[in-house]
Amino acid sequence: MSNTFGKLFTLTTFGESHGPAIGGVVDGMPAGIEVDMDFLQAELNRRRPGQSSLTTSRQEADQVELLSGVFEGKTTGCPIGFIVRNQNQHSQDYENLRTLFRPSHADYTYYNKYGVRDHRGGGRSSARITISRVVGGALAKTVLRQQGITIQAYTSQVGNIALERDYHLYDLSKTEDNAVRCPDEQKAREMERLIEQVKAEGDTIGGVITCVIKGCPIGLGEPEFDKLHAALGGAMLSINAVKGFEYGAGFAGVAQRGSEQNDVFQSEKVIVKSEHSSLKTNYSGGIQGGISNGQDIYFRVAFKPVATLLREQQTVDTEGNATTFTARGRHDPCVLPRAVPVVEAMAAMTILDHFLCYKAYKN
């Protein structure tokens, strides 16, 4: 059972959507790091339900409780255990799903693999499990900030409403100024209207989140089976509803020639062994040969429309009989706004894990 993420900086998660609590254990956290509980809670607040009319109406405080690994406000170097208690479950909303397989959910695969499943909100497959990732990511961000490494994600597309691909065109500090977490005010309003329309129809819609990592030194990642972009891709594809990952120029770059795509150096006076490189362009997305090159690392993550629809659908039951059903309960019409902090969290844990490996190698 793979419930642990990372090598040196690790997160092991536990809990189900309608169980008593979601929780985890972070190990490999450096000692002596001051833990800002307000920051940890603020990160969880960005992910929690009930933030706006664009999200599920489930009301959860998502208050994090640290159980170990912190003494007098600083990390001890020991495992950090934590829980976030579930307080607003409506398990009865899922009773009609006890013997049904919801289309495009994990119901069918879980049942066939394990012979049992928790039908209440998806159990372990619920996006609520990402709470643990956000806590782990917040702790990772705390360490990375001391190294001058920052991570910023934002909603860059909902349905067919999309921003330009170049993140330099936007003031990313405005990402939190609206409910959809888009740094373009006009596009954000269009995205919000589209989500509201889709919600009113009992339907859902997907989109894209872009993430930018600044300040990474040269040398993170390995040249063969542990490439940095592969680690980031694996981390992103482990998030619920993610269907695609691309970094740098990505798929759009295939239409260009090598003479247009190569990132050339600014001058002949580049300091070869330095913390950061100097390139005229960054089509590579800050990673070359699987190793960070000192430039901004940027990537895009595609999320499918949420699979739970508040309209009648065809399905089968556990006996294989065809039937129809209509989902009940409280669900997101679009996962993008609440997924932004989850993308950042997975990026932060990936970068810190590789940073610790890099420091061990350099020493």
Side-chain angles (χ1 to χ4, degrees):
M1 296 293 290
S2 183
N3 295 301
T4 299
F5 174 85
K7 293 183 177 180
L8 296 185
F9 180 89
T10 66
L11 168 69
T12 301
T13 70
F14 62 84
E16 293 85 32
S17 177
H18 286 234
I22 306 297
V25 177
V26 169
D27 207 355
M29 183 75 174
I33 303 296
E34 187 172 344
V35 176
D36 184 344
M37 291 301 299
D38 289 338
F39 173 68
L40 261 64
Q41 191 58 53
E43 290 292 274
L44 278 173
N45 290 346
R46 296 171 67 209
R47 196 225 69 93
R48 70 175 176 81
Q51 297 178 45
S52 72
S53 60
L54 303 181
T55 68
T56 170
S57 60
R58 179 172 176 170
Q59 294 297 317
E60 294 280 3
D62 285 353
Q63 191 75 36
V64 62
E65 303 173 37
L66 299 187
L67 306 178
S68 63
V70 178
F71 177 67
E72 295 183 342
K74 293 186 177 181
T75 57
T76 63
C78 298
I80 299 174
F82 64 88
I83 60 171
V84 174
R85 300 181 189 276
N86 294 324
Q87 298 176 326
N88 191 230
Q89 309 99 310
H90 286 181
S91 299
Q92 67 276 9
D93 289 344
Y94 298 89
E95 192 57 34
N96 67 322
L97 303 177
R98 182 179 287 273
T99 61
L100 300 182
F101 297 129
R102 295 170 297 172
S104 289
H105 283 74
D107 297 351
Y108 180 75
T109 52
Y110 268 51
Y111 186 77
N112 276 271
K113 182 177 177 68
Y114 302 111
V116 63
R117 69 180 176 92
D118 185 347
H119 66 282
R120 305 166 304 166
R124 184 70 174 154
S125 67
S126 170
R128 185 156 177 76
I129 308 304
T130 59
I131 283 175
S132 298
R133 300 176 182 224
V134 173
V135 175
L139 291 169
K141 282 183 178 181
T142 302
V143 180
L144 293 176
R145 284 189 304 191
Q146 295 187 3
Q147 304 298 324
I149 300 172
T150 62
I151 298 171
Q152 174 71 68
Y154 61 94
T155 299
S156 55
Q157 182 171 343
V158 173
N160 60 0
I161 302 171
L163 303 187
E164 297 291 335
R165 294 174 62 91
D166 187 354
Y167 63 90
H168 294 97
L169 300 175
Y170 305 98
D171 180 358
L172 301 190
S173 68
K174 296 182 177 180
T175 298
E176 297 294 320
D177 289 354
N178 53 75
V180 78
R181 293 196 164 91
C182 172
D184 183 296
E185 184 179 354
Q186 176 59 37
K187 289 287 187 180
R189 286 197 293 267
E190 295 178 23
M191 292 174 180
E192 289 173 8
R193 285 196 292 268
L194 176 58
I195 295 172
E196 293 282 11
Q197 175 189 339
V198 166
K199 179 181 178 180
E201 296 170 354
D203 214 333
T204 62
I205 196 159
V208 175
I209 289 175
T210 297
C211 186
V212 183
I213 305 171
K214 293 179 175 289
C216 278
I218 301 171
L220 273 58
E222 304 299 328
E224 185 60 12
F225 294 117
D226 202 11
K227 291 178 169 64
L228 184 58
H229 59 270
L232 285 167
M236 298 306 140
L237 289 165
S238 75
I239 301 172
N240 307 55
V242 169
K243 287 295 186 181
F245 170 85
E246 64 174 3
Y247 75 103
F251 287 102
V254 304
Q256 293 183 306
R257 300 188 179 188
S259 56
E260 298 173 292
Q261 280 279 303
N262 281 355
D263 295 319
V264 298
F265 294 101
Q266 292 277 20
S267 70
E268 298 177 359
K269 296 182 179 181
V270 173
I271 301 174
V272 176
K273 290 189 176 181
S274 64
E275 288 295 305
H276 301 282
S277 61
S278 180
L279 300 171
K280 290 183 179 180
T281 56
N282 188 19
Y283 294 112
S284 300
I287 304 171
Q288 293 172 328
I291 300 172
S292 60
N293 66 4
Q295 298 293 300
D296 291 351
I297 296 171
Y298 63 97
F299 56 85
R300 291 157 49 87
V301 185
F303 286 79
K304 71 172 185 176
V306 177
T308 300
L309 311 181
L310 299 181
R311 54 168 63 179
E312 188 175 82
Q313 295 184 82
Q314 294 181 333
T315 190
V316 296
D317 62 21
T318 52
E319 300 299 320
N321 301 309
T323 185
T324 60
F325 83 105
T326 301
R328 299 194 293 263
R330 302 157 297 176
H331 307 280
D332 289 288
C334 179
V335 74
L336 276 295
R338 296 174 61 211
V340 167
V342 180
V343 167
E344 290 181 2
M346 294 307 298
M349 289 191 290
T350 302
I351 294 299
L352 179 56
D353 195 31
H354 279 266
F355 181 81
L356 293 175
C357 291
Y358 162 80
K359 296 296 286 186
Y361 173 80
K362 298 291 280 187
N363 291 337

